[in-house]
Amino acid sequence: MQRANDTATAGCIRHDWSLPQVQALFALPFMDLLLRAQQVHRAHHEPNTVQMSTLLSIKTGACPEDCAYCPQSVRYETGLDTQALMEVAAVRDSAVRAKAAGATRFCMGAAYRSPKHKDLVVIAQMIREVRALGLESCATLGMLTPQQAQELKAAGLDYYNHNLDTSAEFYGEIISTRTYQDRLDTLAAVRAAGLNVCCGGIIGMGETLADRAQLLRTLANLPAHPESVPINQLVKVPGTPLANCADVDPFDFVRTIAVARLLMPRAHVRLSAGREQMSDELQALCFLAGANSIFYGEKLLTTGNPDVAADRSLFERLGLTPEALKDAAAVTATAAAR
Ligand code: SAM
Ligand code: DTB
Ligand code: SF4
């Protein structure tokens, strides 16, 4: 294994990480890793500032894919109420509430393998409505063709979320209905369309430390780093094959955030699913390790998230401030909508 000192030039934007180099970062003493991550964080981001995204499931359940972690797969008995694609007006109402609560980005998730044309037309309208409110828009709709990615871009979409989830090596244990290469192809289509890329993974599915290192290495070695990197802790949903996975060592979760911060210095690293199961102290360590984005609001897609009051209190106790919108066009739209 290589020495981390030789390899981790603080804050360099690199796309040529080797596995031993990334593993050397994971192997650093915890305090050294966190110090380094916080230094890189402060070189590239406003300290004590956290971006806030709100999620809405616009089409829920009955998904044909077999992702072993997911309560929305048709293959597992999770007791989930399925819901067809929502009406545009209801999505708009939800976005209005998210904005009033303080979110700056509204993320629409759909349980699709890939979206159908007629649904994409409706979703394009949802995106226009969200943008008109002065919110950034994000969608996660499964696999996209280059043409579909362009259509979403034309509707004004800002971000597309499509996760690699884990390493290429472990991936086959989790999903059989589409390949790792399918995911990389969608990411390439999203990038080619000029959309911001939101791409990360899940920790706690039974993967090894090497798998975590490979996931982050694959993300960092993409031709351009994702603008947003969600690190989810598995939400263990009864009825899914991963319902009884062992708990993640919280320090290992923090390490994953820190290494993501070191490998992708400019990205927003999102402390994503799993916050409801975390203590305030653990979340604080994740922010110290370089996390600077969260999902904000009572619900993720189908599972719970800390409520708004709890997050406001946490931010106040830690001296954290929500990140303001930087995009001038969005700010103008915000003003116009008032
Ligand atoms: N169907 C689309 C897809 O798979 O790309 C979009 C929605 S899907 C629910 C988005 C992401 O949520 C997944 O890639 C996965 O990383 C994350 N996710 C789903 N279930 C999860 C769980 N139980 N715990 C943590 N993350 C989860
Ligand atoms: C991501 O990485 N995490 C979000 C978002 N992208 C779409 C989803 C988390 C889902 C957690 C399980 C649920 O609520 O269904
Ligand atoms: Fe379907 Fe997405 Fe869930 Fe996989 S993660 S089962 S594709 S909704």
Side-chain angles (χ1 to χ4, degrees):
M1 198 182 284
Q2 299 211 7
R3 296 223 358 249
N5 275 345
D6 306 337
T7 57
T9 322
C12 276
I13 306 298
R14 288 179 46 189
H15 302 273
D16 61 351
W17 292 92
S18 69
L19 180 61
Q21 287 173 341
V22 180
Q23 287 179 305
L25 294 175
F26 271 97
L28 280 170
F30 188 75
M31 308 308 162
D32 294 358
L33 176 59
L34 255 65
L35 176 64
R36 236 191 242 206
Q38 182 62 208
Q39 282 167 337
V40 167
H41 184 74
R42 281 168 186 257
H44 293 274
H45 299 272
E46 193 65 42
N48 305 311
T49 305
V50 177
Q51 191 279 328
M52 320 252 270
S53 296
T54 291
L55 269 174
L56 176 68
S57 182
I58 58 169
K59 185 270 173 188
T60 306
C63 181
E65 302 293 277
D66 69 351
C67 312
Y69 48 76
C70 187
Q72 302 200 66
S73 168
V74 76
R75 296 161 198 245
Y76 317 130
E77 294 287 335
T78 59
L80 187 72
D81 284 335
T82 61
Q83 184 197 54
L85 186 62
M86 286 173 70
E87 302 280 339
V88 174
V91 173
R92 185 185 183 280
D93 289 348
S94 181
V96 167
R97 287 194 296 276
K99 186 182 171 189
T104 55
R105 190 177 308 159
F106 192 69
C107 306
M108 294 165 276
Y112 294 138
R113 172 178 165 84
S114 56
K116 294 195 181 67
H117 176 71
K118 70 172 181 19
D119 294 337
L120 212 58
V121 172
V122 178
I123 293 166
Q125 188 53 32
M126 294 174 185
I127 292 165
R128 287 187 206 100
E129 297 280 357
V130 169
R131 291 290 281 144
L133 292 170
L135 286 164
E136 288 180 328
S137 58
C138 176
T140 180
L141 316 170
M143 290 188 283
L144 294 184
T145 63
Q147 168 70 24
Q148 289 176 318
Q150 283 162 23
E151 283 171 33
L152 290 168
K153 173 72 182 172
L157 187 69
D158 296 296
Y159 288 79
Y160 194 77
N161 167 247
H162 197 65
N163 290 339
L164 288 177
D165 281 343
T166 189
S167 68
E169 293 75 16
F170 188 63
Y171 182 87
E173 305 285 318
I174 303 296
I175 299 146
S176 77
T177 47
R178 60 178 140 167
T179 65
Y180 211 70
Q181 189 57 49
D182 288 332
R183 296 205 178 234
L184 292 167
D185 290 348
T186 292
L187 292 172
V190 168
R191 186 55 90 195
L195 291 161
N196 290 305
V197 172
C198 173
C199 184
I202 307 178
I203 305 303
M205 302 191 291
E207 74 285 348
T208 62
L209 290 180
D211 290 315
R212 291 177 198 163
Q214 281 288 30
L215 165 67
L216 296 183
R217 175 178 174 236
T218 307
L219 291 169
N221 288 352
L222 288 170
H225 292 169
E227 281 72 19
S228 178
V229 179
I231 305 293
N232 297 277
Q233 178 170 278
L234 176 70
V235 180
K236 294 182 234 178
V237 180
T240 62
L242 299 186
N244 298 316
C245 273
D247 284 343
V248 179
D249 177 341
F251 296 130
D252 283 344
F253 186 83
V254 177
R255 281 178 198 280
T256 308
I257 300 258
V259 175
R261 166 51 65 227
L262 289 174
L263 299 195
M264 294 166 279
R266 291 192 190 130
H268 275 75
V269 176
R270 182 172 308 120
L271 171 54
S272 302
R275 281 201 307 120
E276 204 181 32
Q277 289 74 33
M278 292 177 194
S279 68
D280 288 349
E281 295 87 338
L282 175 55
Q283 293 186 59
L285 276 180
C286 291
F287 294 129
L288 188 63
N292 63 342
S293 173
I294 58 166
F295 284 123
Y296 177 65
E298 281 72 17
K299 219 168 170 200
L300 293 165
L301 290 174
T302 66
T303 66
N305 197 43
D307 62 32
V308 163
D311 279 341
R312 286 200 179 137
S313 156
L314 181 64
F315 273 44
E316 200 171 317
R317 288 164 70 211
L318 297 177
L320 295 175
T321 320
E323 184 181 289
L325 277 178
K326 289 194 190 76
D327 177 42
V331 173
T332 311
T334 308
R338 273 194 196 118

